[in-house]
Amino acid sequence: MAKAEVQRPGTGPGEPDSERREEFRTLSGLPVARVYRPQDVADLDYERDLGDPGQFPFTRGPYATMYRGRLWTMRQFAGFGTAEESNARYKYLLEHGQTGLSVAFDFPTLLGYDSDHPRSEGEVGKDGVAIDTLADMETLFDGIPLDQVTTSMTINSPAAILFAMYLAVAEKQGVAWDRISGTIQNDILKEYTAQKTYIFPPRPSMRLITDVFGFCSRHVPRWNTISISGYHIREAGATAVQELAFTLADGFEYVKAGIEAGLDVDSFVPRLSFFWDIHMDFFEEIAKLRAARRIWARELRERFGARDPRSWAMRFHCQTAGCSLTAQQPENNVVRVTLQALAAVLGGTQSLHTNSMDEALALPTEKAVRIALRTQQIIAEESGVPNTIDPLAGSYFVEALTDTMEAQAYEYFRRIEQQGGVIPAIENGFFAREIAEASYRHQLALKRGDVTVVGVNKYVQEDEAPQPILRIDPGIEKKQVERLRRVKAERDNARVERCLKELAAAARGTENLMPYILEAVRAYASEGEIVGALKDVFGVYREEPIY
Amino acid sequence: MDRPIRVLVAKPGLDRHDRGAKVLARAYRDAGFEVIYTGLDRSPEEIAEMAIQEDVDVVALSILSGAHDVLVPKVIRLCREAGADDVLFLAGGIIPDEDRPRLTEAGVAGVFGPGSDLDEIIRFTRENVRRKVPR
């Protein structure tokens, strides 16, 4: 039955007033009006709410010159197989104009299992590079001077260990620690909420993180000690609003933990960075990034009393949404990634990973990765978009949406506070429930056709040609296990044992654990052995599944 | 009397991508199935043990790490060795087309990749389940 037409102002002569849908919403479910007008942003105060780029509250960007000074870092996440193979992929990417490295580790490494552990069977080198000891890390960065690249490492529970290996490689290359830069993800809170690569319970995990904050503020001043990540929360099924709110709440929790560990707020907060997922809803993503900077700046200045403007200015990495990629008609993913990358740039990201078109099928092939990188280069160097800063500021719609996202984030902060804060909310399953609910709602919307995914629930094509994919050689596991055996046979095992004992003793106390982890790493103790020593003291975490 | 179909939704291996598994568990539940979800971090031995203990009709394995080639056949072998030879095995996640024949050979009745229709999975399960004689 046709819906009765409602007469609305603004209809041109002869135009019907009916619309395609009863209501329009963003991908996260926020209502979208037909048109936005000055009254929608009547309360907007330029100095208070936006400020110039590089000025409080940094809504328009953390730096005064943004991409006119330096383009964002093009940083493709990569790693597979053994250290040799990943090293070759990094060199390939650097030769093709990539400007930073981003290391993907395999599941055994993410979870602190050595390659020869029974639980590692079938997983070694599959989703990232397998790293067991310092010897693997030396190979991974062979021929890549660490003072000439910045490296991001996606590692969380065992972050301190892999970071110690990186520092040890720098030592071996003769590069001073104050000359290296990069990021470790090191964000344990979102592991309990979304990504699930936790090992230890929340409280000892928080100690490892504040130990890294403290160690870096003294010894590795240019290192980003954490990448507080919304990405995995979003990929687990959260909405953009939930991603924004939960991630910022995690960020505030780390600030509190640092302060409680006795650190001065301005000594470690400037090295905290963020990581956002960029999904399909173009304006919603841009509004999310702008709102994130504004909330962070205000809270750091007003709630936490930070005085250094670098503590107020949020810097972040973005990655296009893996969960938006389709296995069907994979070439269409190039277009999706282009739109998402453009949103990240318009939102003022400091670095960007663009997904490859074949990632719903397998790890990306070299060709697919090259297209993804070229997508960034075309935006950077052909489109003209980076030539002026935050060009969407003042748009009635974008400013109104930025305000809405901010208001909804504060509503979540209130609900998290009501439960006693982030860790109690993790422990009582609040985040898991909220995300599972949003994820299921989205799946139902897809099924009903309220949300369109081209090639999946609309414009479906039968009999698609098979796509070439990257295959991981199953022989890698054996090779890696042999390599680990060789290292264990050649090292000074008495020294390893002593280091592990000292680490465990320190873990029972309150000292900073980084120097002990470094000693163990230098002695070629394996990741699994170091994690094992810590597990004995800290215990392990298991979640109650909620769906 | 007809009892509801019992499904074990399982996450073998170390891979922590549980969004699909949880959505599927919920969809089965909403469709009237009895659902047991293993949670994360389950070895093939643990999954087989749960399948036997819970006397399930269906084991739906969700895996996105690429370890399906090793872990899925292992779960099936362990289940069968323990006498569960009437169970329907399904696999989902990131599974390349060219791997499907090998999984089918190992005993997987249906493979459902990203973007699969939940209704289709449920219909497939109903049509292919081999109802057990109540023990």
Side-chain angles (χ1 to χ4, degrees), chain A residues 365-377:
Chain A
T365 59
E366 248 175 36
K367 183 181 175 190
V369 172
R370 193 173 62 238
I371 294 171
L373 178 60
R374 295 287 182 256
T375 304
Q376 295 198 39
Q377 290 162 338

Side-chain angles (χ1 to χ4, degrees), chain B residues 20-86:
Chain B
K22 286 180 166 186
V23 165
L24 182 65
R26 173 96 176 248
Y28 272 131
R29 194 172 70 194
D30 289 357
F33 290 61
E34 272 181 23
V35 183
I36 302 125
Y37 171 48
T38 60
L40 294 168
D41 209 5
R42 295 299 179 184
S43 66
E45 289 81 4
E46 287 172 309
I47 292 170
E49 200 185 311
M50 286 174 85
I52 304 294
Q53 274 179 1
E54 299 286 350
D55 194 24
V56 296
D57 307 298
V58 183
V59 176
L61 298 153
S62 168
I63 183 161
L64 289 86
S65 74
H68 53 271
D69 52 348
V70 175
L71 298 177
V72 171
K74 192 166 177 186
V75 170
I76 297 175
R77 182 170 56 74
L78 291 169
C79 284
R80 289 190 172 154
E81 280 171 12
D85 42 16
D86 47 1

Side-chain angles (χ1 to χ4, degrees), chain A residues 450-467:
Chain A
D450 293 351
V451 171
T452 298
V453 179
V454 170
V456 174
N457 65 356
K458 211 172 179 184
Y459 314 115
V460 176
Q461 191 177 310
E462 304 296 337
D463 300 324
E464 289 184 44
Q467 192 74 16

Side-chain angles (χ1 to χ4, degrees), chain A residues 111 119 121-123 126-127 195-196 235 237 328 360-361 437 439-440 447 469 471 542 545-547, chain B residues 13-14 16 18-19 22-23 26 29-30 37 40-42 65-67 69 74 94 96 98-99 114 119:
Chain A
L111 294 165
R119 294 302 312 276
E121 187 189 3
E123 311 267 11
K126 284 273 172 70
D127 290 282
Q195 186 165 249
K196 313 287 172 73
E235 291 288 308
Q328 297 81 356
L361 303 165
E437 214 33 63
S439 162
Y440 195 58
K447 210 166 81 173
I469 58 162
R471 298 213 66 97
R542 263 210 108 92
I546 294 168
Y547 58 91
Chain B
L14 302 182
R16 303 297 176 101
D18 60 359
R19 178 174 178 173
K22 286 180 166 186
V23 165
R26 173 96 176 248
R29 194 172 70 194
D30 289 357
Y37 171 48
L40 294 168
D41 209 5
R42 295 299 179 184
S65 74
D69 52 348
K74 192 166 177 186
I94 308 269
E98 59 196 77
D99 288 1
D119 290 341

